[in-house]
């Protein structure tokens, strides 16, 4: 009689297994050698460290995931995020179980990303890791529809967004950072030149922190940046639009200093805990950037990165 | 009687307009100055160039868009792409109408990305730009589910993908490039050391070109890379999984040369026009990388980047 | 008789100049049109801004220069720096004269870079710009000779260094940051696996600030990083050396948490105002990094980037 | 009498050695365990590979070294290079001895970098590695003095350079690539707008290959790029200079297509084997770039990267 016999291989060393050799865990086969000690794995992380200093920030970064978030107009937008997750670690424990941080992100990956979801992920992870503190950061490109100013041709630009949630025992701080691109035209160049004026891309980076119910929309930060520049940027511009943006920038010249001051004047009116304004003009007449920064924080002290 | 009077401003210079002053285009108001010449814009691009050489590649790059594509298992995946679009330009024309390239991408942005869509976009753009040739490139991160080998805990890794379509008058060439990460363990280090062996991340970059109906799946290129390395990489690994990947890499040591040769042996069996294999090992004992490359192309000649 | 006549062109518009037309400034010729207003340029920067907020940080970044610095052993090392220079700006002045910042760097570019030179550049710039505050940052690669551990074959590795000088009215703060690469081997992987242990590159970033005469050498920060890792990294390793580094890492396993704690224990003993320790392990079994950070600052408060 | 006794530790495991235990190699001490097999290390690289395909490109990349090169005016310039070194490998050998590549670079690191030095390094490495082919690549920033056009204030800009040497059995190909920055001003924007015109940074990347005695100077490639753009870029510009560059760009508008064609017209007159011209305009009115490329190569066929 012909009996078909399934023969297994060790998934580690590829060795063929004799009928009574080895064994399987969750359907994965191992030879005797690679099977041994499988049920008896030490937990080195739980042991005593050599130096028992507490660590405030330990975790993982550069974990990439697809996400989706709500647009201000009610739409839903799919994008991809680079994620960082950190916890605090007490002085008497050698290591964090890093897999629990990745599992925390994975578990909530089907849900729409917003501040409250991040608070929930942080609670889950603080609980799993027995930590007092958890910080979660999502960095992602965000897309905004832009209709060309005269031809009304549809287009799309992107900005770079960071959602940063710090969850402590009884409080949290949520910070939204948006880096977007606008046009700036130099007032000095315009004033002293017979014709023309040099102009360039400005990278405007705006951060605002809240610890309450105020919602700071990405779209609103982009709007502030655009309103304080010489002209907005578009992805599609037909000739009447190109005329428009050229003339508009020429009529609205702005130094990098003018831009941060105008933005400061708008940000100071929002109910924010802290905020930070950075503008870098990629000068078309130099290889270097012109840069200005204004910060306001709780302690009313300006720190430098 | 009280009559409310709407008063308009010039959208360029913000000057208030008197009742009979200025005018609107598509609802956008201009003062007399900024209105003039609006209907009479020259088409500089259409004029004669100073040097009448034809240009094979001219267009736009770093245009970002959300996209979605089909997974091998039939699922649909949302991600974001960096896009390049190029056309050829005849020697008698000064410039390309670049807005038509951005409009082409925008027009098809609601559809699922695949080779046939890219062929359609290229046809549309070739027609609009009166070009003989169009090249379209989409670069995007792509996500692949990875179940931990022993604990079966779900996770996700990403790879970097490029879809590159060159559309000529009567033919096309479509190239898929995937850069993914695996583990490599050094056979020399294992052999000569009492214990352990240095191991590291390998970046494996595989390109394959087709000009017919053959479908080259991202998942299949990732699988080839993983099968030819010391061990796969995962985002979530519990302790039994960490034991598994450590022992598996130790039992399957590979030089960077072994990896490109094994991959070559698999790629040569696929119905590809050209292919290119690059592996960079981020050595854990150096700050430099170990690198190997094997190419095969139509002319059976190896070119160098 | 043949008299050669030199004929000039306008350097702006290339128009040939008639004998009595145009004129030259510093040997540069202009037509009448482009010559006009040359001696009468407004100083827009000096005018009143729309919003009179003071700005603490305004200046230039991404200015590249060749530099040379002293090595701890007395040698002189040439390298290249990315430079940032910022001043503060009072509320009543519209703009900074940015050219004065670039001129300040240029003027001192022949001298050896060290803290005292940076203090001098800052004084020069504060004076020229009538500012109370100046910050100067030099970022550069720095090279360190490394002799292979057994074969004694010479080699060289590099680390990334930042010199950051903040000069206030009566005080300064000087911060040295070094990012170097070492090997780390996972203690958990070693403990639970029959053979081998995953290991990887660690990027160790150490910052220390001083406001007095203490000299913090780049070489000493690199040494601290190496002493607290599983093994040093080399550029040249022959086989006896490869055996050495493989076995040494295997005998000295370290979590990212172990590394920051050991480094903290060394840094806390130095006479530093502030310090900051960041370690990122580029895990060979994941695409993400394991990261830990410990800071100590004047206010004894830990801030997060 | 007191006799001081030196006690040694194993350099691998830090174990204290008893008087007759262990031994030293080149002054490095080992315990008996870590000493064993030291004189008997297998040479795995020399063994037979599983697949005996020859490999054309295998080696190391991202090796950083300080270098110095000659300027066109006879001066000597120090800078730092990222280095790649590759050899070919026959089908019957499992691996390359990568340390020999790093040693080759190290051995010649005291000499001035130029084509002939690279030919010598390649010969040395081909000999050590028994290879038919060697490719060596040095990538480095290069600095060029720029005197401000009207004020004559001195400054400095940098460009990015690649020296690429391919050494075959009886011939070589040496390619110089320079990426430099200039200003471009849009002819269409100027023509259709009442005032002003958008302008931006152009990144111009020029490659030229020679296989004979012709010397292609970095300075000459930068000059070609500048002559074909709307205006040069400077690091220091006082107000008369800013007026100059603004007006000069306005009087010399250029599409990206105009730039590549003008450059082509100059490059075609040089005694080059191959050349490649790429210009990317970082549009101040978009977030994307306008790009054009023209190549000429030996086979008179245009390839795409």
């Amino acid at each position: 009689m012909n009996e078909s016999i399934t023969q297994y291989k060790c998934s580690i060393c590829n060795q063929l297994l004799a009928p009574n050799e080895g064994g399987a865990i969750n359907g994965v086969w191992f030879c005797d050698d690679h099977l041994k000690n499988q049920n008896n794995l030490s937990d080195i992380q739980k042991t005593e460290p050599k130096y028992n200093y507490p660590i405030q920030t330990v975790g993982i970064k550069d974990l990439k995931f697809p996400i989706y978030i709500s647009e201000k107009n009610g739409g839903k937008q799919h994008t991809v995020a680079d994620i960082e997750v950190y916890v605090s670690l007490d002085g008497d424990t050698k290591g964090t179980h890093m897999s629990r941080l990745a599992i925390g992100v994975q578990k909530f990956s089907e849900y729409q990303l917003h501040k409250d979801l991040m608070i929930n992920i942080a609670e889950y992870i603080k609980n799993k890791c027995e930590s007092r503190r958890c910080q979660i950061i999502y960095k992602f490109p965000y897309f905004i529809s832009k209709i060309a100013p005269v031809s009304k041709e549809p287009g799309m630009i992107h900005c770079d967004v960071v959602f940063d949630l710090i969850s402590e025992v009884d409080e949290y701080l949520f910070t939204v950072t948006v880096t977007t691109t606008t046009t700036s035209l130099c007032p000095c160049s315009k004033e002293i030149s017979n014709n023309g004026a040099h102009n360039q891309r400005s990278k405007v980076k705006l951060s605002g922190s809240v610890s309450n119910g105020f919602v700071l929309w990405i779209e609103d930060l982009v709007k502030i940046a655009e309103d304080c520049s010489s002209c907005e940027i578009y992805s599609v511009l037909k000739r009447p639009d190109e005329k428009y943006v050229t003339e508009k920038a020429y009529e609205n010249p702005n130094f990098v200093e003018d831009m941060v001051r105008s933005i400061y004047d708008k940000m100071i009116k929002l109910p924010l805990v802290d905020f930070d304004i950075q503008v870098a003009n990629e000068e078309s007449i130099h290889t270097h950037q012109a840069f200005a920064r204004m910060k306001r924080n709780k302690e009313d002290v300006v720190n430098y990165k």
Side-chain angles (χ1 to χ4, degrees), chain A:
Chain A
M1 262 165 20
N2 238 337
E3 262 201 336
S4 123
I5 295 174
T6 310
Q7 200 175 7
Y8 294 103
K9 280 175 162 185
C10 172
S11 66
I12 298 290
C13 62
N14 281 318
Q15 181 195 320
L16 279 176
L17 303 179
N20 292 320
E21 202 191 354
I25 302 175
N26 286 338
V28 184
W29 282 85
F30 298 95
C31 65
D32 290 333
D33 242 34
H34 289 113
L35 190 62
K36 79 173 176 223
N37 305 322
Q38 284 279 14
N39 293 309
N40 195 18
L41 305 179
S42 332
D43 192 349
I44 296 282
Q45 277 86 349
K46 279 285 185 202
T47 60
E48 187 78 16
K50 181 168 175 195
Y51 299 102
N52 60 0
Y53 300 113
I55 302 178
Q56 201 178 16
T57 303
V58 55
I60 57 177
K61 60 190 294 188
D62 297 340
L63 187 67
K64 227 185 230 306
F65 262 82
I67 60 164
Y68 65 96
I69 66 170
S70 176
E71 299 171 344
K72 192 184 178 187
N73 65 15
K76 190 174 90 165
Q77 179 170 139
H78 290 271
T79 182
V80 297
D82 268 310
I83 304 172
E84 303 175 39
V85 187
Y86 305 116
V87 291
S88 57
L89 182 67
D90 289 342
D92 58 1
T93 308
K94 183 175 170 75
T96 314
H97 287 98
M98 301 262 184
S99 65
R100 294 175 189 172
L101 308 182
I103 290 170
V105 172
Q106 175 80 31
K107 268 211 187 324
F108 291 84
S109 64
E110 299 296 319
Y111 298 98
Q112 180 171 300
L113 182 74
H114 50 60
K115 187 186 65 181
D116 293 339
L117 181 77
M118 291 174 74
I119 292 173
N120 288 342
I121 303 175
E123 285 309 311
Y124 174 89
I125 287 172
K126 280 158 66 175
N127 193 40
K128 286 283 177 192
C129 294
E130 296 167 34
S131 282
R132 264 181 280 266
R133 187 178 194 281
C134 179
Q135 181 175 20
I136 301 179
I137 301 171
Y138 279 74
K139 302 178 178 177
F140 52 91
Y142 183 82
F143 297 89
I144 292 178
S145 287
K146 299 283 288 188
I147 307 303
V150 181
S151 72
K152 304 303 180 190
E153 188 76 32
M156 196 175 264
I157 62 158
H158 75 278
C159 55
D160 293 309
V161 179
V162 184
F163 280 4
D164 181 334
L165 186 275
I166 297 176
S167 168
E168 305 270 5
V169 177
D170 285 321
E171 50 175 4
Y172 71 85
L173 185 71
F174 180 65
T175 305
V176 178
T177 302
V178 171
T179 305
T180 192
T181 311
T182 66
T183 301
S184 63
L185 184 138
C186 177
C188 172
S189 171
K190 176 183 172 179
E191 176 70 21
I192 64 180
S193 303
N194 291 1
N195 287 111
H198 71 82
N199 52 82
Q200 53 265 319
R201 283 188 194 155
S202 294
K203 298 284 181 190
V204 182
K205 183 174 183 177
L206 306 183
S207 285
S209 299
V210 296
S211 59
N212 54 23
F214 178 68
V215 177
L216 186 60
W217 289 99
I218 297 166
E219 286 85 348
D220 292 345
L221 288 174
V222 170
K223 184 77 169 50
I224 288 174
E226 290 177 344
D227 287 349
C228 298
S229 65
S230 298
C231 192
E232 297 174 47
I233 263 183
Y234 301 84
S235 66
V236 175
L237 291 173
K238 304 188 87 155
R239 264 172 301 141
D241 306 310
E242 189 171 359
K243 177 177 169 59
Y244 177 97
V245 298
T246 304
E247 294 178 354
K248 179 143 190 191
Y250 193 80
E251 294 297 332
N252 295 278
N254 269 307
F255 282 134
V256 69
E257 292 95 333
D258 294 320
M259 291 175 71
V260 288
R261 279 169 166 149
S262 306
I263 294 168
Y264 189 91
D265 194 65
K266 287 181 190 289
M267 298 278 283
I268 210 167
K269 286 154 193 161
L270 299 176
L272 301 172
V273 177
D274 286 348
F275 64 82
D276 187 2
I277 303 159
Q278 298 178 58
V279 180
N281 283 1
E282 302 179 344
E283 303 287 290
S284 64
I285 58 171
H286 296 302
T287 59
H288 60 257
Q289 338 296 338
F291 177 84
R293 182 176 194 177
M294 291 177 77
K295 281 180 82 164
R296 198 212 48 193
N297 61 21
K298 266 184 295 199
E299 298 80 18
D300 216 7
V301 175
V302 179
N303 290 323
Y304 294 82
K305 195 184 58 174

